[in-house]
Amino acid sequence: MLHIFASMETHRLRNLLHPDLLRERLGSEGKARTTLSFYRYVRLAEVEALRHELYAEWEALGVLGRIYISQEGINAQVSLPTVNLEAFRNNLDAREAFKDVPWKIAVEDDGKSFLKLMIKVRKKIVADGLADDAFDVTDVGEHLDAGRFNRKMAEGALVIDMRNNYECLIGHFEGAYLPKADTFRGAIDEVKDVITLRQAQGEELPEILLYCTGGIRCEKASAYLKHHGFGKVNQLHGGIIDYARQIKAQGLESRYKGQNFVFDERLAERITDDVVSSCMQCGAASDRISNCKEATCNMLLVQCEACAAKYADCCSPSCREIHLLPIEEQRDWRKGRSTRSSKTKAINDPEGLRERIRVEEELLARNGTLHPELIKVNQTKTNNA
Ligand SMILES: [Zn+2]
Ligand SMILES: [Zn+2]
């Protein structure tokens, strides 16, 4: 009996409502919300029990967002009613492990960044694919504030973007090295290769400046690069999120140009008005980022307004054809096809995409469809009728 009760309790500590309902509920809430993020590498015990405690306490404060906890710490991106900020601060400070943990408040924010509260227990708070016992994770690079980061850039330091490839698409520091890999592990190997190559060519290794979204990935990356003897390694304290805040507060020039990719419904927050990217479909200057609306595709792409209209918010004519079908026919077509992917994937070959679109438009004009399997299904239906 006790066992059943316990599992019911745990079950209640989840949000099972449909996204549309959640969106509506959030819209009608009428409270100003603040979006913020924080993380800390800290030893946590009894992580499962802690997870349930946090869920109950934070839900009561109206907290929404995505939180990962593990034995090595916490990584949280949340939004909450602005009136509850102080109560939330007190709640964090009440636990030794989270006491005084610095948080970063998002600059541009409509408070609609998260729809539900999700707290997940993970092996690591950032999936980095690195063997932690191979190096000292606490021997990190020097933390720089925005002003010092700008100065080192001006002195010719090597700036490296530690985010995944798709996060760099619509904004980055001027002249930064942007890894092509779509995983942290891949990016760090790439960076190692780039630096090693420069050293092999006899170049004197400049100081290294690392940056990422909120600073957390640079903790590991800097420790890793230091361990491998890559000289003076620095990192942007608090990441792009806090850089943007400092720039604004101190009236400094932003050497980060464009938008900052964020992991919530907004997809991006604007740092400067510069447009550093172009539409992957037509090549026009654009930094409008979105997902292909065809559910089995969902690829992330940079797409201008005109192309969004032309391709019905899809990446290609073949996705558009499915997306424009009546909803029941879309469902039929999706049967047996996988729609859910937890991993973000972006189109990384815009030229290839444009070629694909050209070929598909030709086929479409000739055959009237890019999905012959649809005709078969419809014919069967007609025959059966
Ligand atoms: Zn376009
Ligand atoms: Zn698509």
Side-chain angles (χ1 to χ4, degrees), residues 72-339:
E72 67 170 17
I74 186 164
N75 180 10
Q77 291 169 298
V78 300
S79 96
L80 67 152
T82 307
V83 292
N84 290 347
L85 271 179
E86 200 185 330
F88 187 59
R89 182 75 257 175
N90 292 337
N91 177 281
L92 287 173
D93 289 345
R95 281 188 178 79
E96 196 51 45
F98 307 147
K99 195 171 166 44
D100 298 326
V101 60
W103 68 30
K104 285 145 234 146
I105 292 180
V107 179
E108 181 194 86
D109 187 13
D110 60 3
K112 299 208 172 72
S113 41
F114 295 102
L115 295 175
K116 58 181 179 177
L117 176 60
M118 189 191 86
I119 306 182
K120 284 201 167 156
V121 174
R122 287 267 171 97
K123 258 213 179 92
K124 297 178 168 211
I125 54 175
V126 177
D128 53 29
L130 298 176
D132 292 358
D133 44 3
F135 63 103
D136 180 2
V137 293
T138 62
D139 182 22
V140 300
E142 190 176 343
H143 294 98
L144 303 182
D145 62 17
R148 287 183 67 206
F149 196 88
N150 277 1
R151 238 169 292 138
K152 294 250 187 216
M153 270 185 84
E155 287 163 17
L158 173 61
V159 188
I160 298 173
D161 196 319
M162 284 316 306
R163 298 173 298 169
N164 297 324
N165 54 8
Y166 55 82
E167 295 171 85
C168 313
L169 286 176
I170 52 170
H172 47 77
F173 275 96
E174 289 170 295
Y177 177 77
L178 311 174
K180 289 155 201 73
D182 60 2
T183 63
F184 180 76
R185 175 74 232 212
I188 207 158
D189 284 340
E190 207 177 303
V191 167
K192 253 171 66 184
D193 291 347
V194 168
I195 300 172
T196 309
L197 186 69
R198 287 179 69 147
Q199 280 176 317
Q201 289 166 344
E203 278 184 53
E204 200 186 318
L205 190 62
E207 280 197 35
I208 293 173
L209 297 179
L210 304 178
Y211 72 91
C212 62
T213 310
I216 188 166
R217 278 174 278 184
C218 292
E219 295 284 301
K220 282 273 174 79
S222 66
Y224 190 80
L225 292 177
K226 275 181 84 173
H227 174 80
H228 284 90
F230 289 126
K232 180 93 177 72
V233 182
N234 307 280
Q235 54 189 322
L236 181 57
H237 186 58
I240 300 157
I241 296 172
D242 207 57
Y243 179 87
R245 190 192 59 76
Q246 292 177 46
I247 290 297
K248 223 174 173 179
Q250 299 168 29
L252 297 171
E253 183 211 353
S254 181
R255 308 260 339 238
Y256 186 96
K257 304 294 179 194
Q259 304 199 73
N260 182 24
F261 186 93
V262 292
F263 291 88
D264 59 43
E265 291 249 311
R266 297 169 298 158
L267 284 181
E269 72 180 14
R270 185 160 290 288
I271 310 291
T272 72
D273 289 333
D274 304 270
V275 175
V276 302
S277 49
S278 50
C279 173
M280 291 177 169
Q281 292 174 320
C282 73
S286 171
D287 61 1
R288 182 182 173 281
I289 194 151
S290 70
N291 288 95
C292 174
K293 291 294 175 288
E294 203 293 289
T296 64
C297 175
N298 201 35
M299 286 294 262
L300 200 63
L301 77 160
V302 180
Q303 182 181 48
C304 74
E305 289 284 353
C307 286
K310 185 171 174 191
Y311 298 103
D313 294 311
C314 290
C315 73
S316 61
S318 58
C319 283
R320 175 183 62 193
E321 187 176 347
I322 299 301
H323 182 59
L324 291 179
L325 290 173
I327 193 78
E328 311 84 59
E329 284 178 44
Q330 287 188 44
R331 277 198 201 116
D332 281 349
W333 184 83
R334 281 204 291 268
K335 266 180 203 146
R337 290 179 160 91
S338 129
T339 51

